[in-house]
Amino acid sequence: MWCAASIPAWSARCIEVVPGREIRVRGQVQGVGFRPFVWQLAREFGLVGEVFNDAEGVLIRAAGGDLDGFQAALSARAPGLSRIDALEARDCRFEAVPETFAIAASRGGAARTRVTPDAATCPDCLAEIAGGGRRQGYAFTNCTRCGPRFTILRGLPYDRAQTTMAGFAMCPSCRAEYGDPADRRFHAQPIACPDCGPRLWLERAGGVVAAGDPLALAADLLRQGGILAVKGLGGFHLACDAGNPATLDRLRRGKRRPAKPFALMLREADLAAVCTPSAADLARLRDPAAPIVLVPGTGALPEAVAPGMTRLGVMLPYTPLHHLLLAAVARPLVMTSGNLSGAPQAVGNDEARALLDGLADAVLLHDREIARRLDDSVERADPPMILRRARGRVPGTLPLPEGFGGAPQVLALGGQMKSAICLVKGGQALLSHHLGDLDEADSWDAFLGAMADYGALFDHRPALVACDAHPGYRATQHAGTLGLPVIEVQHHHAHLAACLAENGWPRAGGPVAGIVLDGTGYGPDGTVWGGELLLGDYRSVERVGHLAPAPLVGGDAAAREPWRNLLVRLDAAGLADSADRLLTEYPRAALRAAARAGLNAPASSSAGRLFDAVAAALGLCVGRQSYEGEAAMRLEALAEGCPADRPYRFAGLDPAPAFRAMMGDIEAGVPHPLISARFHAGLARAFADPARALVETGRARAVALSGGCFQNARLLAETLAALRGVKVLIHRETPANDGGLALGQAVIAAAGELPQMESF
């Protein structure tokens, strides 16, 4: 209940007691033009009062007019970038009433609100850049509908003083727009123009600043076959002409990235020349998150862009700088992370100068700092999935499922590869951006930095920490140093729980059958798991089936060298002679001796290594993979568009019969795309049949699909087809790969004791 003493210093007049209403809006409501929207709506409905940001979101205090209509319109007409999680209202009465409705100063306090992700340039700003006004050609144009958010934010509430724009004082013209409720820049915190905002310049080798228009100079360099480092929203990119084979080769050698596909950036008008996007692809490309989307290629670009792939990773320009650069170059550009292979991308100007010296011919720089490193998100549109959750998607939160009310604050640390952390607070789970592989020293530093950053930004005070059960993972070892109770979670249980949580499966929803297929995960029996049929929920899990194990001879070397997996699988299928014919140049005798002796040859049910073996049988990446998943990705690409007429049969979950059929097909000259299609369909049916049986016998209530192998669109489609008629849960908003592990760990930990809830 309000009283006159509690009301801010409004221009007030004393009148009779008047009924009013206080409305709390929770969710993604800061940095999206929500307060200006509320102001305009209040005027429309004849209200007086105030609105302001605070650490819980947006608070509205209003009186007079049509309060019911106003409240209904808040949800029905909210700004496009906003996401309302809750709208809470209470009646009140007060004696001092303001003359007008105002946007009041923000209030601080413990962070309990969501932060808006960065958003791609809106049509109005794009038209302004191309027009003849004062922002024509300005690379840092934005408004409340678009522009940087999370990458410039230092703290909450979201105000200019809390961002990396704090050092840029608004000029009179920008100040007038910022204060004009009729302007789309009303309270747009990153507002800027050429007179008062960030500036752009181009440096050549040795830090020499080039004279002239930096964008024109950059475009000339790219057209002439140069490599350009470009400072973006969440870090630096390395850009080059995507149609220049010599430059592509130089970039690959410089990055030490021999085959991993490069991302492309191009104008929408140029898409048809290099790819064939579907309607779903276009919708995702045009999304404010502006992710990299995997789209079928036309073959117009050199093979070196994406060796062995039928799909290209494509994104549209998402900042004014990108739009201006693409317009000046007028051709598709490779736009890959500004780093050496495996390391995080550079974010600071000095860091880029040091890291990219000798690799880039010039650096396009600006003087707005990047508050946090964010890679580009990577996604598919059909079937919809997120492969790498990063810029544009974070720091969005997921509501915890029914039954998690009062969950403690939890910090989950994820795994070793594709690392991400997860924070649970107030019925919400916040899965961080992609942090990289923790074997890399720089990625480990980024991991530690993210823990501190997210914890401070969201006032997170965990009561316990969750981690993977693998004792060798750096994150697991770090968990024990935090002075909190530690809950170790089996790797594949975490995958299963992540899928359940994303789909809102209730805590008391009953057991599900989990098909969890990935590369490797530490098994409680001391073996390496990776091809699992599980039965369970958040609190417990049972392993009811798994791929017939095979030794990983050489340990980690087996993940790098697919021939090793092919040899042991062929031997297990009674096809040693076939292995000898296919692998004449490899040390088969030594490998077989190690397998028999169990020397550095742990047993593994890994589905990832099964894919490697099949790929090697078809001559793909036989000796070595240059990046994780290369063999499996090439095998998937091989099958694209080829129907599987006769899926290979497994003996239960033993692939030996499939290998015998496959080798017969190879010797008979069956086309390799058809062999790949038959393998995908056979693997899908091998797992789908027992999972279906668990549902049909009443032991499970649904089937959940998780693990990195389900990034494979062909495998996912075949599995869904084999499970037709059964309730199936899949990943859409969180990665099926290890990037989603932390979410699963967090909900498993939260499914224990549930003390008093606090909220974001």
Side-chain angles (χ1 to χ4, degrees), residues 260 417-418 437 519 559 609 625-631 633 738:
K260 191 173 184 180
M417 308 287 284
K418 299 177 177 63
D437 299 341
R609 302 294 76 81
Q625 303 188 76
S626 69
Y627 60 91
E628 185 203 7
E630 180 181 6
M633 289 171 63
D738 283 7

Side-chain angles (χ1 to χ4, degrees), residues 25-29 32 78-86 114 287-288:
V25 189
R26 303 185 189 276
Q28 187 172 292
V29 290
V32 295
L81 292 180
S82 66
R83 300 290 184 273
I84 296 177
D85 292 337
R114 288 166 61 179
D287 189 274

Side-chain angles (χ1 to χ4, degrees), residues 345-733:
Q345 62 179 324
V347 292
N349 291 354
D350 289 341
E351 182 186 6
R353 293 181 181 109
L355 181 64
L356 305 179
D357 183 43
L359 178 53
D361 300 305
V363 188
L364 192 58
L365 295 169
H366 59 74
D367 55 354
R368 184 180 67 203
E369 292 182 37
I370 296 171
R372 58 187 50 77
R373 178 185 286 110
L374 285 182
D375 292 289
D376 296 309
S377 292
V378 181
E379 306 181 5
R380 284 186 188 265
D382 186 20
M385 65 175 74
I386 292 180
L387 309 179
R388 183 170 71 195
R389 193 168 183 270
R391 177 198 49 76
R393 299 298 181 194
V394 292
T397 63
L398 296 168
L400 292 180
E402 178 186 337
F404 282 87
Q409 292 194 33
V410 179
L411 170 64
L413 302 184
Q416 186 80 351
M417 308 287 284
K418 299 177 177 63
S419 174
I421 64 173
C422 185
L423 285 62
V424 164
K425 182 180 177 183
Q428 299 282 324
L430 192 161
L431 182 64
S432 82
H433 59 284
H434 170 84
L435 299 170
D437 299 341
L438 300 187
D439 288 331
E440 294 284 341
D442 289 342
S443 295
W444 177 247
D445 290 341
F447 173 84
L448 296 177
M451 286 179 56
D453 177 35
Y454 277 87
L457 191 59
F458 296 101
D459 190 37
H460 192 250
R461 302 176 185 181
L464 51 88
V465 59
C467 61
D468 195 274
H470 195 305
Y473 281 4
R474 295 189 76 174
T476 300
Q477 295 167 356
H478 186 67
T481 71
L482 299 178
L484 295 168
V486 176
I487 296 178
E488 294 185 352
V489 180
Q490 199 279 325
H491 189 90
H492 299 93
H493 188 194
H495 273 308
L496 171 62
C499 187
L500 296 181
E502 179 183 331
N503 284 275
W505 191 258
R507 183 167 174 261
V512 301
I515 302 176
V516 185
L517 308 180
D518 65 358
T520 58
Y522 182 74
D525 60 355
T527 67
V528 180
W529 292 13
E532 310 306 315
L533 179 59
L534 306 177
L535 179 65
D537 56 14
Y538 301 107
R539 286 169 286 190
S540 64
V541 71
E542 174 189 356
R543 189 190 197 196
V544 296
H546 57 84
L547 275 176
L552 295 178
V553 186
D556 290 343
R560 298 188 296 268
E561 301 176 5
W563 72 271
R564 296 170 180 262
N565 305 295
L566 176 59
L567 178 66
V568 298
R569 285 295 181 185
L570 289 177
D571 282 0
L575 298 170
D577 290 346
S578 295
D580 290 336
R581 287 196 303 272
L582 287 176
L583 303 171
T584 55
E585 61 186 276
Y586 298 97
R588 304 180 307 284
L591 194 95
R592 284 166 169 153
R596 286 193 300 270
L599 182 62
N600 193 21
S604 173
S605 58
S606 169
R609 302 294 76 81
L610 181 65
F611 272 93
D612 292 348
V614 174
L618 299 182
L620 303 174
C621 307
V622 181
R624 189 175 184 86
Q625 303 188 76
S626 69
Y627 60 91
E628 185 203 7
E630 180 181 6
M633 289 171 63
R634 287 178 180 253
L635 188 66
E636 177 192 358
L638 192 63
E640 185 158 359
C642 181
D645 60 339
R646 179 169 52 82
Y648 293 138
R649 292 187 177 276
F650 285 50
L653 290 175
D654 184 349
F659 274 94
R660 290 192 286 269
M662 180 178 67
M663 292 309 301
D665 281 351
I666 291 172
E667 292 167 4
V670 173
H672 286 189
L674 182 54
I675 293 174
S676 177
R678 288 173 174 174
F679 165 71
H680 280 85
L683 178 62
R685 291 193 182 183
F687 275 94
D689 288 348
R692 176 187 290 276
L694 288 171
V695 175
E696 291 177 346
T697 58
R699 297 184 66 193
R701 298 186 180 179
V703 178
L705 310 181
S706 192
C709 291
F710 281 113
Q711 295 177 129
N712 181 321
R714 182 58 179 263
L715 177 65
L716 177 60
E718 294 282 4
T719 307
L720 290 173
L723 288 168
R724 191 170 288 116
V726 174
K727 183 177 179 63
V728 182
L729 312 177
I730 64 173
H731 292 268
R732 290 183 177 85
E733 301 299 325

